[in-house]
Amino acid sequence: EDQVTQSPEALRLQEGESSSLNCSYTVSGLRGLFWYRQDPGKGPEFLFTLYSAGEEKEKERLKATLTKKESFLHITAPKPEDSATYLCAVQARVTNAGKSTFGDGTTLTVKP
Amino acid sequence: DTGVSQDPRHKITKRGQNVTFRCDPISEHNRLYWYRQTLGQGPEFLTYFQNEAQLEKSRLLSDRFSAERPKGSFSTLEIQRTEQGDSAMYLCASSPGGVNEQYFGPGTRLTVT
């Protein structure tokens, strides 16, 4: 069964203090690994898709990387508006449905 | 706004009542998903439609839950004889064919009293 574990559960940073969020996964043949951002009371918002080990994607202050066992979401010089829960999800190659298995997220708080 | 929409946004019901939620996907998206999310947890897959066909259903989905997508457009999720354990956020997502990421709606928050 596909599994996704995210750490830490919560992360508090000062504005400008860079850090990384971890997503460890086990899946029977990875089709894709996804990062989403979720604000309180809202649905997840798509950020990145990574398909193979060594791949990297960047968007503003966020950079996602992928190895065969884990993914990192690096946040450089975060701002208070980056505060949110960041979710990692995987899809297995065997599924035709695109069913995603999610981790429980890392809740990031950035203090000004 | 051309995103995924869900209705209602909030629903409070008494245990034992039936509830129905609606999801309108992004218009050109042929894939539609339902997930359930409880506080502090990630979304949990419930079911998947490709056009009007329901192709996958989670083992977690008891026979009190049913979903439809008539004509491959909007979808409904019905919960019969609600239980307190059904209290959660119900999320709908859609995606076009050939794309793996999913686009989520704002969710329907269900509270069963």
Side-chain angles (χ1 to χ4, degrees):
Chain A
E1 189 171 320
D2 304 337
Q3 277 196 308
V4 177
T5 304
Q6 292 189 246
S7 61
E9 288 185 13
L11 182 63
R12 297 169 69 91
L13 299 174
Q14 287 295 128
E15 184 172 2
E17 179 187 2
S18 301
S19 188
S20 297
L21 282 54
N22 177 263
C23 170
S24 297
Y25 65 92
T26 55
V27 64
S28 50
L30 180 70
R31 168 178 286 160
L33 183 141
F34 309 88
W35 283 98
Y36 292 86
R37 169 191 170 128
Q38 186 172 29
D39 292 302
K42 296 188 177 181
E45 176 189 347
F46 169 71
L47 293 173
F48 302 111
T49 306
L50 300 166
Y51 291 105
S52 57
E55 190 175 0
E56 299 182 351
K57 293 272 179 75
E58 277 189 79
K59 179 180 178 180
E60 296 180 353
R61 296 176 293 281
L62 301 177
K63 179 180 174 180
T65 62
L66 181 65
T67 73
K68 288 186 178 178
K69 293 183 179 180
E70 56 191 352
S71 176
F72 292 93
L73 185 65
H74 306 279
I75 304 177
T76 303
K79 298 182 177 182
E81 53 262 42
D82 295 322
S83 297
T85 295
Y86 291 85
L87 296 165
C88 173
V90 296
Q91 285 181 17
R93 205 176 292 132
V94 296
T95 176
N96 291 321
K99 165 192 165 183
S100 291
T101 300
F102 281 82
D104 290 335
T106 293
T107 300
L108 173 66
T109 305
V110 182
K111 296 288 192 181
Chain B
D1 187 10
T2 57
V4 178
S5 61
Q6 293 187 244
D7 184 68
R9 295 293 310 278
H10 304 273
K11 178 71 177 179
I12 300 173
T13 191
K14 291 186 177 179
R15 189 176 54 189
Q17 297 295 305
N18 299 344
V19 294
T20 300
F21 309 141
R22 176 178 171 127
C23 170
D24 287 89
I26 295 170
S27 60
E28 63 269 25
H29 289 188
N30 61 345
R31 299 179 182 182
L32 187 146
Y33 308 82
W34 285 98
Y35 289 85
R36 177 172 64 191
Q37 186 176 28
T38 53
L39 198 62
Q41 308 287 310
E44 182 179 48
F45 172 80
L46 293 178
T47 191
Y48 159 71
F49 289 86
Q50 183 160 314
N51 299 312
E52 66 274 13
Q54 187 174 19
L55 296 185
E56 189 167 345
K57 197 172 166 180
S58 169
R59 292 169 296 175
L60 301 170
L61 215 61
S62 76
D63 56 6
R64 296 185 298 107
F65 288 71
S66 63
E68 293 183 340
R69 192 182 182 197
K71 301 178 183 177
S73 56
F74 70 92
S75 176
T76 58
L77 178 69
E78 181 183 16
I79 309 174
Q80 296 183 326
R81 305 181 303 280
T82 52
E83 301 172 356
Q84 286 190 318
D86 297 331
S87 295
M89 175 80 88
Y90 289 83
L91 293 164
C92 177
S94 70
S95 70
V99 170
N100 297 316
E101 62 266 18
Q102 295 165 14
Y103 297 87
F104 284 82
T108 293
R109 179 162 296 284
L110 173 66
T111 302
V112 182
T113 61

